[in-house]
Amino acid sequence: KNEVEQSPQNLTAQEGEFITINCSYSVGISALHWLQQHPGGGIVSLFMLSSGKKKHGRLIATINIQEKHSSLHITASHPRDSAVYICAVMKTSYDKVIFGPGTSLSVIP
Amino acid sequence: EPEVTQTPSHQVTQMGQEVILRCVPISNHLYFYWYRQILGQKVEFLVSFYNNEISEKSEIFDDQFSVERPDGSNFTLKIRSTKLEDSAMYFCASITGTSNEQFFGPGTRLTVL
């Protein structure tokens, strides 16, 4: 069983829609990352969370440690948001990152 | 803003050849990592490195792989005798040691023919 799961696997949205990507994990963690990967492959860190909620521009990330669940929300989605969004966890400080399978988002004008 | 850099961006090699992938982590970072992503699959951990030695390695990181920090800046991944299945995107990452946030390099795409 994968330690990090994401849903949905693929998502198509109309420009302007509110988007939610979910992540669940089965291990104890010290931190959770949300990452973005564009075609061409580079990985960009969006958020690192250990509790609560973080907001950056149109992106909001939340985490519920008790339920082992995190969500990434995108408000007023735009075609430039089209990318793969990856949830990844660290079990302990300075540990390796365990990656989820990613959610492929396509935002249509 | 400081960033992790990797060279080359794309490497094409023949099966059986040795390759060295290079990474320059952010200068005050202490922990270093290599990951790989086979096309269409999720990113997988290869190895972590701290205080000039391997701190953890995955099952993928067999005797064909080695890592080195030859000087104060570079962090290299060597594959001694490449196989077709080594074709992947290889990412380097580093963290400071006071924060858990990993900073990823842009990746090296390795193609083994």
Side-chain angles (χ1 to χ4, degrees):
Chain A
K1 185 182 185 298
N2 291 325
E3 292 172 294
V4 182
E5 302 277 6
Q6 289 183 235
S7 63
Q9 184 177 352
N10 297 287
L11 181 57
T12 300
Q14 291 288 329
E15 184 173 357
E17 282 186 9
F18 180 85
I19 289 163
T20 296
I21 299 170
N22 294 299
C23 173
S24 59
Y25 51 91
S26 57
V27 295
I29 67 169
S30 65
L32 181 144
H33 297 259
W34 281 102
L35 308 161
Q36 183 190 57
Q37 186 174 34
H38 279 285
I43 295 173
V44 175
S45 178
L46 299 174
F47 295 103
M48 187 183 71
L49 294 164
S50 53
S51 65
K53 176 179 174 177
K54 286 190 176 179
K55 184 176 190 292
H56 185 254
R58 295 180 295 106
L59 302 178
I60 303 165
T62 63
I63 188 168
N64 185 319
I65 296 293
Q66 287 73 30
E67 295 188 3
K68 293 187 165 61
H69 182 270
S70 177
S71 294
L72 177 69
H73 306 285
I74 304 175
T75 62
S77 58
H78 190 277
R80 65 175 174 266
D81 297 326
S82 298
V84 175
Y85 291 84
I86 303 171
C87 174
V89 302
M90 296 172 71
K91 292 183 185 178
T92 59
S93 297
Y94 319 130
D95 195 6
K96 64 183 180 290
V97 173
I98 302 169
F99 289 79
T103 294
S104 179
L105 171 66
S106 178
V107 181
I108 299 169
Chain B
E1 186 174 323
E3 57 183 18
V4 177
T5 60
Q6 290 185 242
T7 54
S9 57
H10 190 191
Q11 172 102 38
V12 180
T13 190
Q14 294 289 327
M15 191 170 57
Q17 294 296 304
E18 175 183 286
V19 295
I20 298 175
L21 310 183
R22 290 183 168 80
C23 169
V24 179
I26 297 173
S27 64
N28 62 339
H29 285 194
L30 300 176
Y31 296 78
F32 313 107
Y33 309 82
W34 282 102
Y35 300 89
R36 80 169 186 191
Q37 185 179 33
I38 294 171
L39 187 63
Q41 298 185 20
K42 67 178 182 179
V43 180
E44 304 170 287
F45 167 73
L46 289 176
V47 65
S48 57
F49 192 85
Y50 170 70
N51 202 26
N52 283 319
E53 59 183 32
I54 291 174
S55 46
E56 185 179 357
K57 59 184 181 180
S58 72
E59 292 176 353
I60 304 166
F61 194 88
D62 62 22
D63 292 344
Q64 292 301 312
F65 291 87
S66 62
V67 288
E68 196 175 40
R69 191 161 156 81
D71 53 42
S73 58
N74 291 286
F75 178 49
T76 62
L77 174 69
K78 182 193 292 186
I79 309 175
R80 268 180 264 283
S81 178
T82 50
K83 302 187 282 276
L84 295 176
E85 54 265 37
D86 293 327
S87 294
M89 193 78 158
Y90 288 80
F91 294 100
C92 169
S94 66
I95 62 175
T96 61
T98 56
S99 164
N100 280 329
E101 184 171 8
Q102 290 203 9
F103 291 80
F104 291 88
T108 292
R109 183 169 300 282
L110 176 64
T111 302
V112 182
L113 302 176

